[in-house]
Structures are given as structure tokens and as C-alpha cells.
Amino acid sequence: HKPTTDSYYSYIHYYTTMAKHLARIHGTEEDKVNCPFYYKIGACRHADRCSRLHHKPAFSQTLLFSHLFQSTVDSTNDEAVLEEFLSFYEDFYLELSKFGRLEGLYIADNVADHLVGHVYAKFRNEEDATDCLQVMHGRYYDGRLMLCEYSPVTDFREARCRDYDELDCARGGYCNFLHAKPVPVALIESLDEDAEADRRRVRDEARSRKRRKREKEHDRHHHHHRSSSGKDDYDDDRDRESRRSSRRE
């Protein structure tokens, strides 16, 4: 049975409409297949027991370091808690920036098991995130094993708890949206400047090494050429002398 033109266009219209609908609801509460929390936050309180799918990306600008930040100071000492956190933030920001420019570094203030201590790092380029993952995954930081993976989170405006950002989340640390610890903007700007200066220094050093290597190769080639030319001249002189002796005889 050969479909008519009308049925063919009806078929195309149906599947186009369906594709648009699925794209619109993907990662939302209407999506009964994919987990909206994993899509938005890269973590779900049900973990592998979740009734919806957790699609782990094959690549991403964002990396998740699971449960990496763990406070070791007295939680009642606000000044010590803040100092410990900012020290970690500065150190880790500069360490990750060696791989490329960061667009954001977020440390979870949540206390629920599926979010506590999570560190999210969003790079400007996916290639830099890949380089970072390949080097950092499986290494140790301050005695803790780093477990790093690609995260589906790219828009942290959707991941973050708006109530927490306004200092008024009724669920507290057990909220399922990201409570990102606040960081002074001036500190982030200063870290960006330091990181860019470090990357520039590394690039300059790499260029200097390449230039010195080219110069050495050029000198070696030039010296070899001169040595070969001298030997050829010596051999030519010996040949001419030998021919003269033969003619005299």
C-alpha cells in the first residue's frame, strides 16, 4: 500500500510535534522517563533506585567532584569555618584553572547524603574539562580520593535554590536544589587574574622551550653541514693530488 501525500505529511507533522513536545518537557516534572533532579543538579536522592533514567553525559563543560569538600573544623566557630572554606576554594580554583578558564566553581552547602561536599566546576571549553577529568580523577586531595565525572548541569541558575540565595530556604541543608556556598565576587575576580597570569607564564615558558629546541636543532644541522663540507673538500684535494701523480708517472 503506497501512502498518499496527505498521509505522508500527517506522519511527518505528528512526529515533528512529538519531538518538539519531548524536547520541551525533557528534564521537567512532566518528563516521566528522565529524572528532572539529575538533569538539573547532576545528583538525585534516589541514586540508582530512582524510577527515572539518569543519563550520564559522554562529555560536558561541567565536572562533578563527588563529596570532595569536607569541613574538619568546629562548626560552631563561624570564622574558622569560613576561613577553611575560602582556603579550599582558592586552592582548588587555581588548581583547576591550570587546565583552562573556569566559568564557575560551586561548592554545595547541602547536608543531604546525595549532595554533601559536592564540588562543581564549569569550564569555558569542553576540551579543558576533559583534560582536567583525565588528570584529576583518581588522584588524592588533602588525603581524599577524588572521584570526578562529567555532569549534565550547564545552567546553574536552574540548579541553584533561589530561596537559599535569598537566605530563606525553608528546607535548610536537606533541600534537593543546590545550595552553593557564597563567595565574594572580588575574590573570584582576583583568582581569575592570578590564574590567567599563571596560564600566560606557562604558555611563554612552553614557547621559550620550543624556540630553544629549534635553535639547537638548527645549530646541530649547521655544524653537521660544515663538517661534511670540510671532509668533501679534503677528499677532493686528495683526488686531485692522486691524479697529478698518475700523470707524472
Side-chain angles (χ1 to χ4, degrees):
H1 175 68
K2 185 176 180 179
T4 64
T5 301
D6 288 344
S7 64
Y8 171 77
Y9 282 112
S10 296
Y11 172 86
I12 295 297
H13 175 72
Y14 170 78
Y15 280 97
T16 300
T17 303
M18 181 60 68
K20 289 180 179 179
H21 172 70
L22 293 176
R24 182 183 64 79
I25 69 171
H26 181 72
T28 68
E29 289 296 335
E30 293 182 63
D31 188 347
K32 302 305 179 184
V33 176
N34 302 291
C35 175
F37 277 102
Y38 184 78
Y39 178 72
K40 290 180 180 179
I41 307 167
C44 169
R45 63 189 178 92
H46 299 295
D48 295 336
R49 302 185 304 277
C50 185
S51 60
R52 303 185 193 183
L53 296 178
H54 294 178
H55 287 293
K56 294 183 179 294
F59 49 84
S60 174
Q61 292 173 257
T62 305
L63 299 179
L64 168 63
F65 295 83
S66 301
H67 312 297
L68 181 60
F69 178 72
Q70 298 176 19
S71 180
T72 59
V73 301
D74 181 5
S75 60
T76 62
N77 187 335
D78 292 342
E79 185 176 345
V81 169
L82 179 61
E83 178 61 29
E84 180 189 46
F85 164 65
L86 292 179
S87 178
F88 169 84
Y89 191 93
E90 290 180 35
D91 184 61
F92 208 60
Y93 195 104
L94 293 175
E95 184 67 25
L96 297 188
S97 293
K98 295 176 181 177
F99 299 95
R101 188 174 181 82
L102 286 173
E103 290 193 347
L105 181 65
Y106 308 93
I107 289 85
D109 199 23
N110 306 67
V111 297
D113 290 343
H114 66 293
L115 282 171
V116 62
H118 276 7
V119 178
Y120 297 83
K122 182 180 179 182
F123 287 85
R124 174 170 292 182
N125 299 313
E126 288 180 354
E127 295 82 1
D128 296 334
T130 297
D131 291 342
C132 180
L133 183 145
Q134 291 175 348
V135 172
M136 301 294 274
H137 179 68
R139 286 177 57 184
Y140 283 84
Y141 181 88
D142 197 22
R144 294 188 294 276
L145 180 66
M146 288 191 289
L147 300 178
C148 179
E149 63 184 53
Y150 291 120
S151 171
V153 183
T154 55
D155 187 353
F156 281 88
R157 293 172 301 181
E158 292 295 321
R160 296 174 67 143
C161 173
R162 294 181 178 86
D163 290 339
Y164 174 82
D165 288 342
E166 296 172 1
L167 306 177
D168 188 29
C169 178
R171 296 188 178 186
Y174 290 94
C175 178
N176 284 320
F177 285 95
L178 176 63
H179 286 192
K181 287 178 175 288
V183 182
V185 174
L187 174 60
I188 297 174
E189 292 175 347
S190 176
L191 291 172
D192 267 337
E193 292 175 1
D194 291 346
E196 181 57 35
D198 287 342
R199 287 192 296 268
R200 191 182 305 112
R201 177 180 52 78
V202 170
R203 289 194 298 267
D204 290 344
E205 290 176 354
R207 281 195 291 266
S208 295
R209 286 194 298 269
K210 288 181 179 179
R211 184 171 62 252
R212 289 194 296 269
K213 183 179 179 181
R214 286 195 300 268
E215 290 172 352
K216 287 181 179 179
E217 290 176 350
H218 177 268
D219 292 344
R220 191 182 305 117
H221 175 75
H222 185 63
H223 176 72
H224 176 72
H225 177 70
R226 290 183 61 186
S227 299
S228 299
S229 299
K231 183 179 183 302
D232 291 342
D233 293 343
Y234 176 69
D235 290 342
D236 289 344
D237 291 342
R238 292 188 60 185
D239 290 342
R240 283 195 294 270
E241 184 63 31
S242 177
R243 286 196 297 273
R244 289 197 196 99
S245 298
S246 297
R247 284 196 297 271
R248 290 170 187 167
E249 293 175 356

